């Protein structure tokens, strides 16, 4: 049994933020509550109770908030529901600890009720118990619906609550954690899983969703107790929305299996599909959510954004207005409304903007958004309102210049910019925005040198003008007839004339400024004018070397390295690299720079190498030390290492360690290895023991080095292993590494020609065909199963879970395009043939492994065992071949596969797909198939 404090802390944390199952049907309860609200049946004592409760959420201390809870009754109910033997001392201390932890976590969460609506109340006939549904808005005006159970002694107090966002109640969650924590057959990973869940919930309380998502990924592969699975997938889905919408959808699929009525399902899918640009699905899921729970500002906003992207502006506006009727404090919806309204209706958003909390402080926030969206009409409307607000927009001149520029009133725009810029402090970051806008206006008005004269930092304005003029010239040259807002105001020849004049003026004023010539050289380089680039860059180099000689500072010269690298690339393009090398005095420096600047296999580079080969007497880290080591001059290696720069230590330390070992200075070599960071320390020790011919110690050190990605083949680049070590080829078999989602086959999605339903029957048939005998259990029986059992469980919404040999697999199927359009999941551009293949799929089947045996020697999730991957691939093949409508192909019904963790796909599938993947079950195999296609 774990320490009581760990279990109790977990209980309180989970209950504070995410309360277990409520026995009532939530949808029905909400609808029933709505009807009772219409009847006006609100108990006045409870009205006053929740008014006081709202006030206590604003207090600095949560002590009074905790006083509104009947903690003793909450704990009693949880202990009763847990139905396990809990030590008397723990039961006695539970309420006291719970009070302390409740206060701590409430203060950490800092959720204040800015507004609330008491939807309905129901009091028992004897007046001692009550139920209430309350909708609240926090300080970010995010809405939550919560059921409260209350009991009345001397006063009303809360005895249980169910946050409908999650769909779990406090007492049931406490009971589940107590049952797992104090049962005699406690889940093996309970303590680890509990710790991870507490950390993630803490991150959510601090609004750090990225950290919460990252922490939750540490549960991958672990045996999460049944009581926490809904919680785990619910939190994962919500947190991953911030960074990985597709993984959020995967998590919500699993949540739906374990909790088919979880209220968050539709809202997660709605917002995830918005991120994936699947707008029709956004609309469907958003409406589904509101059909269950009534009007909701977040849902209306997402639906409105989807309609706007689909070009259905009227429907978008209708949704935004409905969202503001529900939550008039929503800045995000006001911003979306401002952009969606047609120009002749822009004034309508101002009435909503004025009612926002602290609206005066948000004028410039909205102005920035409208500038980024290019909505000058809405910006103009906002600025007219801002004139009525004292101090409401300190940088109004900047925004007004945007409107005036759009109207081609350039002189007025420039005046406003110079006026506004003139009152800013020298270190005000807004000066940079003013300067960029001055450049833009000056060019549009046909007087680019006016910007040069106005802005004090001549180098900055020179570069800015050059960039703007180049962009405008290219737009005019390439043509951009589809977007009038980016059409240049002048002919390309005019921009060319201004560029020439600007360069002549600036170089005449600063002829000896190396940065100026560097800018010009790089500009010609990117335009592929290599002769001009060489001329400018060489001048910059000469000036820089002259200034460096005159300077007393002796620091690493990154400017010099950059200039030499760019010159080397230009000369390589002009086939003059050898002449450039001959003319530069510091051959060693230039040779090293050329090594990483040009094609290593090019004839030019090889000719340079012939003229300046690696010298065994040179102590350069990249060349000399390696040459000394290969020549077995180990004493010289040690001397060269002592003379090398400390910052290059990572390049030569392995040579130093191996040299010490070859000199039989094994103790010194081990001490040197200990100086490495923990990711390389064991690798150094493995080198020493291999040279020493100490098999056992080598195996122990290599096992730990393997965890950090090192291999026998890598070690062979440094040393020759003893000839009688015949175990090396099998050494890596059975060793484990930390799990890497990008390179491992945790989940595969097969796109199929024909619909194929994953259910208990089809999965039983597939399992039997590969020799796996499964018993069938119901979802409510899962908590009684052990990892040693092989079983199958079908859930309500079509998903199936398989448990076999300590691993658990999740299988699901669906009709229609996967995730709306699976092509949105990939980073690489698809060929026409690949796109056509993917577009032909009519359904999909997914299979993933979310739990597998963990290696005890590492603290993070370990890699998926080979036997687990074989089961996954055998099941996948059996399922795709099991469709009677499939042809005789060895890949059956499947036409493409997607590995979402790496955004890798194969389309179409080759006939040897499963055979190849079983031989080498990793993402690299998929990548090879993709490249061959």
């Amino acid at each position: 049994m774990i320490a009581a404090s760990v279990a109790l802390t977990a209980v309180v944390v989970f209950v504070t933020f995410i309360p277990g199952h409520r026995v009532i049907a939530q949808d029905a309860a909400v609808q029933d509550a709505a009807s009772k609200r219409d009847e006006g049946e609100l108990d006045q004592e409870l009205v006053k109770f929740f008014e006081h409760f709202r006030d206590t959420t604003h207090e600095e201390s949560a002590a009074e908030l905790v006083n509104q809870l009947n903690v003793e009754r909450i704990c009693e109910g949880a202990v009763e529901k847990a139905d396990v033997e809990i030590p008397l001392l723990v039961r006695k201390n539970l309420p006291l600890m719970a009070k302390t932890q409740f206060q701590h976590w409430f203060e950490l969460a800092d959720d204040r009720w800015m507004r609330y609506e008491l939807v309905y109340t129901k009091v028992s006939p004897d007046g001692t118990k009550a139920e209430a549904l309350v909708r609240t808005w926090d300080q970010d005006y995010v809405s939550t619906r919560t059921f409260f159970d209350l009991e009345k002694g001397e006063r009303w107090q809360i005895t249980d609550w169910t946050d409908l966002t999650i769909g779990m109640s406090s007492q049931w969650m406490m009971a589940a954690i107590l049952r797992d924590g104090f049962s005699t057959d406690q889940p093996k990973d309970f303590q680890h899983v509990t710790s991870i869940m507490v950390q993630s919930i803490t991150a959510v309380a601090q609004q750090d969703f990225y950290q919460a998502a990252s922490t939750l990924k540490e549960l991958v592969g672990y045996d999460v107790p049944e009581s926490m699975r809904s919680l785990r997938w619910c939190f994962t889905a919500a947190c991953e929305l911030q960074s990985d919408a597709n993984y959020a959808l995967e998590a919500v699929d699993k949540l739906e299996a374990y909790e088919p009525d979880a209220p968050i399902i539709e809202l997660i899918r709605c917002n995830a599909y918005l991120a994936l640009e699947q707008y029709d699905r956004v609309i469907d899921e958003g409406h589904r959510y509101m059909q269950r729970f009534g009007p909701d500002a977040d849902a209306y906003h997402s639906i409105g954004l989807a309609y706007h992207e689909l070009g259905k502006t009227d429907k978008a506006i209708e949704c935004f207005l409905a969202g503001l009727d529900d939550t008039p404090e929503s800045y995000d919806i006001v911003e979306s409304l401002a952009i969606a309204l047609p120009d002749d209706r822009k004034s309508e958003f101002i009435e909503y903007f004025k009612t926002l909390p602290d609206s005066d402080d948000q004028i410039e926030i909205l102005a920035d958004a409208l500038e980024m969206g290019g909505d000058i009409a809405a910006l103009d409307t906002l600025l007219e309102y801002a004139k009525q607000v004292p101090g409401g927009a300190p940088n109004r001149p900047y925004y007004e210049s945007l409107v005036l520029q759009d109207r081609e009133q350039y002189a007025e725009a420039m005046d406003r910019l110079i006026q506004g810029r003139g009152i800013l402090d020298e270190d005000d970051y807004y000066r940079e925005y003013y300067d960029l806008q001055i450049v833009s206006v000056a060019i549009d008005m046909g007087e680019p040198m006016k910007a040069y004269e106005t802005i004090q930092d001549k180098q900055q304005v020179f570069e800015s003008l050059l960039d703007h003029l180049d962009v405008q010239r290219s737009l005019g040259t390439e043509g951009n007839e589809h977007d009038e807002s980016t059409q240049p105001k002048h002919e390309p020849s005019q921009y060319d004339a201004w560029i020439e004049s600007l360069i002549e003026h600036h170089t005449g004023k600063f002829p000896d400024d190396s940065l100026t010539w560097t800018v010009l050289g790089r500009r010609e380089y990117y335009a592929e004018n290599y002769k001009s680039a060489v001329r400018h860059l060489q001048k910059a180099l000469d000036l820089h070397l002259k200034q460096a000689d005159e300077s007393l500072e002796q620091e690493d010269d990154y400017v010099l390295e950059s200039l030499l690298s760019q010159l080397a690339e230009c000369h390589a393009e002009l086939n003059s690299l050898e002449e450039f090398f001959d003319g530069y005095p510091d051959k060693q420096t230039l040779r090293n720079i050329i090594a990483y600047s040009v094609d290593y296999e090019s004839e030019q580079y090889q000719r340079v190498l012939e003229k300046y080969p690696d010298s065994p007497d040179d102590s350069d880290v990249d060349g000399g030390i390696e040459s000394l080591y290969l020549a077995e001059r180990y004493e010289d290696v040690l001397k060269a290492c002592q003379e090398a720069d400390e910052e290059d230590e990572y390049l030569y330390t392995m040579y130093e360690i191996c040299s010490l070992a070859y000199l039989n200075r094994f103790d010194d070599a081990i001490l040197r290895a200990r100086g490495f960071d923990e990711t390389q320390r064991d690798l150094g020790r493995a080198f020493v023991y291999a040279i020493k011919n100490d098999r056992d110690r080598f195996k122990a050190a290599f096992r730990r080095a393997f965890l950090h990605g090192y291999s026998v083949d890598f070690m062979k680049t440094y040393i020759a292993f003893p000839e009688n070590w015949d175990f090396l080829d099998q050494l890596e078999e059975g060793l484990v590494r930390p799990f890497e989602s990008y390179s491992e086959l945790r989940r595969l999605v097969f796109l199929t020609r024909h619909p194929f339903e994953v259910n208990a029957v089809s999965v039983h048939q597939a399992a039997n065909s590969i020799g796996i005998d499964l018993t069938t259990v119901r979802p409510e029986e899962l908590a009684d199963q052990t990892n040693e059992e092989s079983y199958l469980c079908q859930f309500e919404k079509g998903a199936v879970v398989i448990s076999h040999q300590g691993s658990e697999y999740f299988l699901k199927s669906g009709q229609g395009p996967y995730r709306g359009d699976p092509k949105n999941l990939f980073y690489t551009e698809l060929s026409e043939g690949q796109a056509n293949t993917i577009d032909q799929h009519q359904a999909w089947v997914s299979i993933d492994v979310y739990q597998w045996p963990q290696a005890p020697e590492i603290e993070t999730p370990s890699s998926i065992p080979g036997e687990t991957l074989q089961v996954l691939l055998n099941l996948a093949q059996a399922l795709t071949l099991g469709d009677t409508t499939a042809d005789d192909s060895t890949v059956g019904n499947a036409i493409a596969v997607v590995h979402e963790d790496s955004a890798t796909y194969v389309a179409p599938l080759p006939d040897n797909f499963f055979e190849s993947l079983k031989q080498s079950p990793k993402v690299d195999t998929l990548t090879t198939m993709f490249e061959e296609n």
Side-chain angles (χ1 to χ4, degrees):
M1 182 166 52
I2 66 171
S5 60
V6 175
L8 299 184
T9 299
V11 165
V12 177
V13 173
F14 294 168
V15 170
T16 305
F17 296 106
I18 343 221
H21 305 282
R22 187 183 177 86
V23 293
I24 62 171
Q26 291 157 359
D27 295 3
V30 173
Q31 294 166 3
D32 184 49
S35 66
K36 293 181 178 178
R37 174 188 56 190
D38 295 339
E39 296 170 11
E41 298 177 2
L42 294 180
D43 183 89
Q44 292 306 303
E45 284 191 19
L46 292 177
V47 169
K48 292 179 181 179
F49 171 85
F50 283 107
E51 285 178 356
H52 178 63
F53 191 90
R54 175 202 58 195
D55 294 341
T56 61
T57 65
H58 288 260
E59 295 179 5
E60 185 173 343
S61 168
E64 181 59 24
L65 187 61
V66 175
N67 284 337
Q68 308 309 305
L69 308 178
N70 188 332
V71 179
E72 288 79 8
R73 184 68 193 93
I74 293 172
C75 293
E76 288 173 8
V79 169
E80 291 172 6
K81 293 179 175 68
D83 194 28
V84 293
E85 185 66 31
I86 298 175
L88 178 61
L89 183 61
V90 172
R91 294 204 308 271
K92 288 181 62 176
N93 289 336
L94 183 57
L96 180 61
M97 181 182 177
K99 283 184 180 179
T100 303
Q101 290 294 329
F102 273 137
Q103 181 170 339
H104 169 71
W105 286 97
F106 279 139
E107 289 170 358
L108 180 64
D110 192 29
D111 278 335
R112 305 170 197 167
W113 288 13
M114 305 305 292
R115 181 160 67 86
Y116 81 99
E117 176 188 4
L118 186 55
V119 179
Y120 99 102
T121 60
K122 177 182 178 182
V123 181
S124 64
D126 63 2
T128 62
K129 295 183 180 180
E131 186 179 78
L133 174 62
V134 183
R135 188 179 180 198
T136 60
W137 287 260
D138 64 15
Q139 51 268 57
D140 295 321
Y141 290 95
V142 174
S143 176
T144 303
R145 295 172 175 85
T146 308
F147 272 111
F148 290 94
D149 290 329
L150 304 97
E151 291 184 7
K152 185 176 183 181
E154 295 180 1
R155 58 193 174 92
W156 284 110
Q157 286 183 302
I158 296 168
T159 58
D160 200 4
W161 67 90
T162 303
D163 181 345
L164 288 185
T165 305
I166 310 297
M168 301 178 180
S169 85
S170 303
Q171 287 192 19
W172 276 106
M173 176 52 71
M174 287 184 76
I177 303 301
L178 289 170
R179 183 166 54 248
D180 285 333
F182 291 96
S183 65
T184 54
D185 55 346
Q186 181 190 111
K188 184 180 72 170
D189 297 325
F190 178 79
Q191 186 168 357
H192 174 78
V193 170
T194 300
S195 175
I196 295 299
M197 293 296 295
V198 170
Q199 292 176 46
S200 63
I201 293 171
T202 303
V204 169
Q206 297 170 334
Q207 300 295 300
D208 192 345
F209 295 103
Y210 290 101
Q211 181 59 47
S214 176
T215 302
L216 285 165
K217 280 193 169 74
E218 295 179 33
L219 293 177
V220 171
Y222 278 96
D223 179 11
V224 176
E226 199 67 30
S227 61
M228 298 187 199
R229 293 197 177 184
S230 298
L231 181 63
R232 178 249 189 113
W233 297 122
C234 182
F235 253 67
T236 298
C239 294
E240 288 292 344
L241 267 180
Q242 312 294 320
S243 55
D244 189 344
N246 194 48
Y247 190 52
L249 287 170
E250 179 190 333
V252 89
D253 284 346
K254 292 181 170 67
L255 173 64
E256 184 178 46
Y258 285 96
E259 290 287 343
D261 295 323
I264 201 173
I265 291 172
E266 290 85 1
L267 197 57
I268 291 289
R269 284 179 174 152
C270 175
N271 288 303
Y273 283 126
L274 185 64
L276 294 174
E277 301 179 5
Q278 300 302 301
Y279 301 119
D280 288 332
R281 294 198 175 195
V282 173
I283 294 166
D284 291 343
E285 296 292 345
H287 282 305
R288 228 177 254 125
Y289 177 79
M290 290 194 291
Q291 286 170 2
R292 292 180 66 188
F293 301 107
D296 184 90
D298 291 337
Y300 274 128
H301 188 208
S302 295
I303 296 171
L305 291 172
Y307 276 129
H308 192 249
E309 291 293 338
L310 292 171
K312 300 179 180 181
T313 305
D314 290 342
K315 284 184 173 291
I317 293 171
E318 182 182 327
C319 288
F320 295 146
L321 292 175
L324 288 170
D325 284 345
D326 180 71
T327 304
E329 302 91 345
S330 174
Y331 164 83
D332 290 338
I333 300 182
V334 172
E335 178 186 309
S336 298
L337 176 65
I339 294 172
L341 285 166
D343 289 356
D344 59 353
R345 292 178 57 190
K346 291 295 185 187
S347 60
E348 293 179 27
F349 83 83
I350 292 297
E351 294 305 312
Y352 293 96
F353 181 79
K354 289 193 295 188
T355 64
L356 293 175
D358 303 319
S359 61
D360 293 352
D361 296 334
Q362 300 193 67
I363 292 176
E364 289 196 352
I365 295 174
L366 180 55
D368 287 339
L370 298 176
E371 178 191 1
M372 289 182 64
D375 196 331
I376 299 300
L379 179 60
D380 187 27
T381 303
L382 178 65
L383 293 174
E384 286 299 316
Y385 165 72
K387 293 177 182 178
Q388 309 166 25
V389 181
N395 291 290
R396 199 171 79 218
Y398 169 82
Y399 299 107
E400 288 176 341
S401 77
L402 295 169
V403 176
L404 291 167
Q405 182 184 21
D406 185 68
R407 295 173 180 168
E408 301 187 356
Q409 296 174 247
Y410 302 122
E412 293 89 338
M414 185 64 76
D415 289 342
R416 293 297 287 133
L417 286 166
I418 293 173
Q419 174 195 357
R421 186 179 182 274
I423 62 175
L424 295 177
D425 294 334
E426 286 295 325
D427 59 350
D428 194 317
Y429 73 93
Y430 243 95
R431 290 177 71 90
E432 181 180 345
Y433 296 101
Y434 276 89
D435 289 348
L436 289 171
Q437 180 62 5
I438 286 171
V439 167
S440 177
V441 171
I443 291 173
D444 280 359
M445 71 190 299
E447 300 180 39
M449 293 307 294
K450 186 174 182 63
Y452 190 91
E453 296 161 2
T454 302
I455 298 172
Q456 187 175 2
D457 188 334
K458 298 308 177 187
Q459 184 62 40
Q460 174 192 322
V461 69
F462 171 66
E463 293 183 35
S464 183
L465 275 168
L466 207 53
D467 287 343
H468 277 72
L469 289 168
D470 277 334
V471 169
Q472 293 297 307
R473 191 258 315 265
S474 66
L475 287 173
T477 304
E478 297 168 3
N480 194 32
E481 61 274 8
H482 298 297
D483 190 350
E484 294 184 5
S485 65
T486 58
Q487 284 291 336
K489 305 295 182 186
H490 310 281
E491 292 298 319
S493 59
Q494 181 62 73
Y495 291 111
D496 286 330
W498 284 334
I499 290 170
E500 184 179 348
S501 175
L502 172 66
I503 293 174
E504 182 180 354
H505 179 83
H506 187 72
T507 55
K509 195 170 183 177
F510 303 98
D512 298 327
D513 181 63
S514 64
L515 181 56
T516 294
W517 297 105
T518 301
V519 169
L520 291 173
R522 287 174 178 165
R523 174 175 174 269
E524 297 293 350
Y525 168 80
Y526 290 120
E528 299 183 4
N529 300 323
Y530 298 114
K531 286 186 178 180
S532 297
V534 165
R535 186 171 67 252
H536 294 320
L537 290 169
Q538 186 63 52
K539 185 162 187 175
L541 176 63
D542 294 341
L543 288 167
H544 178 78
L545 290 172
K546 180 181 178 182
Q547 293 162 3
D549 289 340
E550 296 170 355
S551 173
L552 297 178
E553 297 182 7
Q554 297 295 324
E555 296 183 356
D556 292 327
D557 199 337
Y558 297 110
V559 175
L560 174 63
E561 292 179 7
S562 175
L563 285 168
L564 289 173
S565 175
Q566 203 113 53
L567 275 165
E569 292 180 49
C570 291
H571 279 291
E573 293 289 344
L574 295 170
N575 201 26
S576 57
L577 182 63
E578 193 174 354
E579 291 84 348
F580 174 51
F581 181 79
D582 289 342
Y584 191 74
D586 187 350
K587 296 290 191 289
Q588 180 63 57
T589 297
L590 183 55
R591 179 200 163 286
N592 291 338
I593 288 174
I594 289 175
Y596 63 76
S597 300
V598 304
D599 181 6
Y600 185 89
E601 298 179 353
S602 67
E603 292 184 8
Q604 295 184 81
Y605 180 69
Q606 295 304 316
R607 288 197 297 269
V608 169
L609 276 184
E610 290 174 7
K611 292 187 174 185
Y612 199 86
D614 287 341
S615 171
D617 298 322
D618 198 320
S619 63
D620 170 65
V621 172
D622 289 329
I625 291 180
E626 181 181 1
S627 298
L628 292 169
Y629 180 80
L630 293 174
E632 299 184 12
R633 295 169 57 181
Y634 301 125
E635 293 285 4
D636 291 333
V637 170
L638 299 181
K639 291 177 183 177
C641 290
Q642 290 176 352
E643 296 170 2
D645 293 335
E646 288 187 7
E647 66 182 34
D648 294 327
E649 182 179 15
Y650 72 97
L651 293 172
Y652 64 73
T653 304
M654 283 303 171
Y655 293 121
E656 185 178 8
I657 291 172
C658 293
S659 295
L660 286 168
Y662 277 124
L663 292 170
N664 293 328
R665 294 168 57 181
F666 299 117
D667 291 343
D668 291 337
I670 291 294
L671 285 173
R672 190 68 185 90
R674 288 177 181 170
F676 260 153
D677 64 44
E678 63 178 354
T679 63
Q680 295 178 301
R681 187 177 302 143
D682 292 307
L683 175 64
R685 293 172 61 248
F687 275 126
V688 175
Y689 293 131
I691 294 169
K692 194 178 180 181
N693 200 0
D694 188 334
R695 291 190 181 210
D696 293 338
R697 285 193 173 92
F698 165 76
K699 289 180 179 179
F702 180 79
R703 187 177 295 111
R704 287 187 286 271
F706 186 81
L707 295 176
H708 299 293
Y710 296 108
S711 64
V712 169
D713 287 341
F714 175 82
M715 294 186 68
K716 286 179 179 179
T717 63
Y718 284 87
I719 65 171
F721 285 97
E723 292 183 3
N724 62 341
W725 280 22
D726 55 1
F727 61 88
L728 290 175
D729 291 341
Q730 292 80 37
L731 182 62
E732 296 179 12
E733 294 180 8
L735 295 183
V736 294
R737 282 182 173 152
F739 170 71
E740 295 180 356
S741 61
Y742 187 85
S743 60
E744 297 192 44
L745 302 180
R746 180 191 65 85
R747 173 180 169 88
L748 293 174
V749 180
F750 293 89
L751 310 183
T752 61
R753 295 180 179 85
H754 317 289
F756 176 78
E757 185 180 355
V758 166
N759 55 38
V761 174
S762 61
V763 174
H764 258 303
Q765 290 175 345
N768 286 337
S769 72
I770 62 174
I772 297 178
D773 185 25
L774 302 171
T775 59
T776 301
V777 301
R778 296 188 300 272
E780 59 270 22
E781 297 172 329
L782 284 174
D784 301 323
Q785 308 306 310
T786 67
N787 284 337
E788 289 72 34
E789 298 175 272
S790 292
Y791 60 84
L792 172 155
C793 179
Q794 178 175 334
F795 296 100
E796 278 187 32
K797 298 296 178 76
V800 171
V801 162
I802 287 177
S803 177
H804 180 62
Q805 295 180 341
S807 296
E808 291 194 13
Y809 307 82
F810 186 86
L811 300 89
K812 189 174 176 64
S813 60
Q815 296 192 26
Y818 180 68
R819 303 300 192 222
D821 183 357
K823 297 193 295 296
N824 284 347
L825 306 177
F826 312 134
Y827 305 128
T828 55
E829 186 174 349
L830 282 73
S831 69
E832 183 178 352
Q834 291 168 332
N836 289 338
T837 297
I838 290 175
D839 287 341
Q840 290 171 17
H841 82 281
Q842 301 296 314
W844 54 271
V845 174
S846 68
I847 176 169
D848 65 79
V849 54
Y850 62 91
Q851 175 188 316
W852 56 85
Q854 294 295 308
E857 59 265 36
I858 59 176
E859 297 179 357
T860 57
S862 57
S863 58
I864 305 172
E867 51 270 25
T868 296
L869 289 173
Q870 292 301 321
V871 170
L872 183 147
L873 293 171
N874 285 328
L875 279 171
Q877 185 173 23
L879 287 169
T880 56
L881 289 175
D883 184 12
T884 55
T885 61
D887 57 23
D888 294 330
S889 166
T890 57
V891 293
N893 190 20
I895 58 175
V897 69
V898 181
H899 181 263
E900 295 161 303
D901 290 343
S902 65
T904 302
Y905 64 93
V906 180
L909 295 186
D911 285 340
N912 65 343
F913 172 79
F914 283 108
E915 179 184 351
S916 298
L917 208 54
K918 288 176 189 178
Q919 289 178 355
S920 181
K922 52 188 178 181
V923 174
D924 285 348
T925 307
L926 295 178
T927 303
T928 300
M929 293 181 191
F930 166 80
E931 292 170 350
E932 290 174 351
N933 275 351

